[in-house]
Amino acid sequence: MKKISMLIAAASVLGAMAQSAHAQNLVAFSGGIGDITTGSADTSVFDVPAAAQIWVIRDLQAEVKVGGSIQVDGRGLLLGAGNAIGSNANASVFATLFCANDGDVQHSTNPAGVALQVNGDFRIQDSLSPAPPDTCTSPVLLIRVTSNGSWFAAGIPFLAPPSPPFPPLPFPPK
């Protein structure tokens, strides 16, 4: 009986710890959008100018915790046009989070950044400064180049699991 009580107590503590860790999530991003500057005059995001070149990103996953801890995993951030198409342009990147409920203050990782791998992959593990508020409405995550601070990729906010796929259409159409 004593062992069962101890097991129940241990399971309760572990469950509370897991729930506490989950409760610390502030925002998450799943998927990315590259900068497709095409001559439009309106490519800045919260006064951060877009890069002057087209960039593509294959995938981006990011999680921000309450308190400002952030991890960003990017895949395939590469030039999408020009003579250096498919290269990383020897760029280094940092991340900036904006939250509408704090006036869109820039909460950034270290602006020294991390270097893109040859294939455009990168990982940022850092803390945002200043720390974001404990809630973040309308989150926007920009991936920025260290050389001039312009943005060349953005995260897609993770709001809900993806919807199930549509059923296949009958063939031939009726």
Side-chain angles (χ1 to χ4, degrees):
M1 189 64 154
K2 222 178 194 185
K3 287 182 182 180
I4 292 174
S5 296
M6 289 182 66
L7 284 173
I8 291 171
S12 297
V13 169
L14 289 173
M17 287 172 48
Q19 193 172 26
S20 172
H22 180 69
Q24 293 179 354
N25 289 340
L26 179 62
V27 292
F29 298 84
S30 182
I33 301 166
D35 169 27
I36 306 175
T37 303
T38 58
S40 171
D42 189 20
T43 57
S44 292
V45 177
F46 298 112
D47 295 325
V48 176
Q53 180 66 292
I54 294 173
W55 286 81
V56 297
I57 189 163
R58 186 171 11 104
D59 189 34
L60 186 134
Q61 303 294 319
E63 187 173 88
V64 181
K65 302 281 190 182
V66 171
S69 169
I70 184 171
Q71 179 167 319
V72 183
D73 288 312
R75 301 285 175 258
L77 182 56
L78 300 167
L79 284 168
N83 292 341
I85 190 168
S87 79
N88 68 7
N90 294 315
S92 292
V93 300
F94 69 103
T96 299
L97 175 70
F98 295 90
C99 301
N101 57 301
D102 75 345
D104 296 314
V105 170
Q106 293 188 21
H107 305 279
S108 295
T109 60
N110 185 335
V114 298
L116 292 177
Q117 300 297 310
V118 172
N119 64 357
D121 291 357
F122 65 94
R123 173 171 283 167
I124 299 171
Q125 289 180 298
D126 202 352
S127 291
L128 296 170
S129 180
D134 288 346
T135 59
C136 182
T137 59
S138 302
V140 173
L141 182 70
L142 297 180
I143 305 303
R144 301 170 65 183
V145 65
T146 59
S147 61
N148 63 13
S150 62
W151 74 271
F152 53 3
I156 299 171
F158 180 78
L159 303 174
S163 301
F166 289 113
L169 295 174
F171 190 80
K174 294 178 181 181

